[in-house]
């Protein structure tokens, strides 16, 4: 880094299935403006770990399923695709992976395949409306999970109901006890957006609340609040 230059922040937005690249255009613009105001130089990439919306849905869903289980399975298709892309574009500095839907599963698996960066603690993973992927305890504090809730605080995103963070623990008298949060991310938080699974990055008037805050702004705010002084 040359004298006087802004420190780099590498941001990768990972899409789920059947997602047009243009869906992240406004998000990229706002993230760029936010971090530049804070004195960073963001390098932002949009990645389609399961291909774009022209691919067959069933093929994409099958690939997502390789990234969700806790035990290693053959493939980790989205995670491996994402890790390869990041290796080819990453230069230096902190790494922020923001994954929507299946992209959240791919983001976590990719981070585990980047040990050089992960060992330095320079990786943070944001999962938005993703299926529940069991998180290794060594990564717990690096993963934030956000899901849509309605006005009554109930889950409004059916995809976030999929998967499990559960596992067995030793309970009283050495009896096994099921803990549904054993492999949960360090932060799990409901996000009061308008709509549901497909709408976290929407910014049109129909997705703006009575306080004139759109879904996209709410999503970016919770991400930045969680990151705080990291990076």
């Amino acid at each position: 880094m040359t004298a006087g230059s802004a420190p780099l922040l590498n941001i990768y937005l990972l899409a789920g299935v059947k997602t047009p690249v243009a869906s992240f255009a406004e998000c990229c613009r706002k993230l760029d403006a936010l971090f530049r105001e804070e004195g960073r130089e963001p390098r932002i990439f949009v990645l389609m770990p399961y291909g774009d919306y022209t691919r067959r849905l069933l093929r994409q869903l099958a690939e997502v399923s390789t990234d969700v289980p806790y035990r290693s399975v053959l493939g980790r298709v989205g995670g491996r695709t994402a890790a390869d892309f990041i290796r080819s574009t990453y230069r230096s500095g902190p790494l922020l992976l923001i994954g929507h839907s299946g992209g959240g599963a791919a983001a976590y698996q990719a981070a585990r395949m980047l040990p050089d960066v992960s060992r330095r603690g320079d990786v943070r993973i944001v999962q938005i409306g993703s299926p529940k992927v069991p998180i290794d305890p060594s990564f717990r504090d690096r993963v934030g999970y956000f899901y849509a809730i309605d006005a009554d605080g109930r889950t409004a995103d059916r995809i976030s109901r999929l998967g499990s963070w559960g596992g067995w623990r030793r309970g009283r008298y050495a009896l096994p006890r099921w803990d549904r949060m054993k492999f949960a991310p360090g932060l799990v938080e409901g996000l009061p957006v308008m709509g549901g699974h497909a709408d976290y990055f929407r910014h049109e008037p129909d997705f703006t609340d009575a306080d004139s805050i759109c879904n996209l702004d709410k999503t970016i705010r919770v991400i930045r609040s969680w990151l705080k002084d990291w990076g």
Side-chain angles (χ1 to χ4, degrees):
M1 184 169 64
T2 60
S5 64
L8 289 176
L9 175 59
N10 303 274
I11 304 174
Y12 291 81
L13 295 167
L14 286 78
V17 303
K18 288 291 182 181
T19 304
V21 176
S23 300
F24 294 104
E26 184 66 8
C27 182
C28 290
R29 187 189 71 78
K30 290 198 172 190
L31 287 172
D32 183 83
L34 171 65
F35 286 109
R36 287 189 185 280
E37 287 176 2
E38 297 180 2
R40 308 297 308 226
E41 182 185 339
R43 300 177 68 237
I44 304 176
F45 301 88
V46 176
L47 177 56
M48 319 296 282
Y50 306 106
D52 64 19
Y53 68 94
T54 63
R55 293 191 71 215
R56 292 179 58 190
L57 176 60
L58 291 180
R59 177 66 61 85
Q60 290 182 316
L61 292 175
E63 292 174 354
V64 172
S65 71
T66 69
D67 288 312
V68 173
Y70 183 69
R71 300 294 181 187
S72 179
V73 297
L74 184 64
R76 297 292 194 205
V77 175
R80 197 169 302 280
T81 298
D84 289 345
F85 182 84
I86 293 167
R87 286 193 194 97
S88 70
T89 53
Y90 175 79
R91 296 202 301 236
S92 63
L95 181 63
L96 174 60
L97 308 181
I98 303 174
H100 173 242
S101 191
Y108 169 66
Q109 301 299 350
R112 298 186 67 189
M113 297 177 190
L114 299 166
D116 291 345
V117 183
S118 298
R119 276 196 295 267
R120 297 198 303 266
D122 290 346
V123 178
R124 291 295 183 275
I125 304 126
V126 177
Q127 298 179 318
I128 301 173
S130 299
K132 295 180 176 69
V133 179
I135 306 299
D136 187 275
S138 65
F139 270 84
R140 187 186 307 277
D141 293 337
R142 305 184 196 188
V143 183
Y145 182 94
F146 304 96
Y147 63 100
I149 56 175
D150 61 22
D152 297 318
R154 295 174 299 196
T155 302
D157 184 346
R158 68 185 186 279
I159 300 301
S160 65
R161 299 178 185 272
L162 302 178
S164 173
W165 295 317
W168 291 102
R169 292 189 185 276
R170 185 184 296 272
R172 293 185 64 187
Y173 311 113
L175 294 175
R177 176 178 63 86
W178 182 257
D179 179 355
R180 66 182 184 87
M181 299 294 283
K182 181 177 181 180
F183 297 109
L187 175 68
V188 178
E189 184 174 315
L191 184 56
V193 296
M194 302 183 69
H197 181 70
D199 304 315
Y200 295 94
F201 300 97
R202 303 296 293 268
H203 53 89
E204 301 87 350
D206 287 346
F207 298 92
T208 300
D209 65 18
D211 296 319
S212 300
I213 304 174
C214 68
N215 286 358
L216 175 58
D217 286 342
K218 291 178 183 179
T219 299
I220 289 177
R221 287 182 185 184
V222 296
I223 293 172
R224 192 65 193 99
S225 175
W226 175 62
L227 292 173
K228 294 185 175 133
D229 298 325
W230 171 77

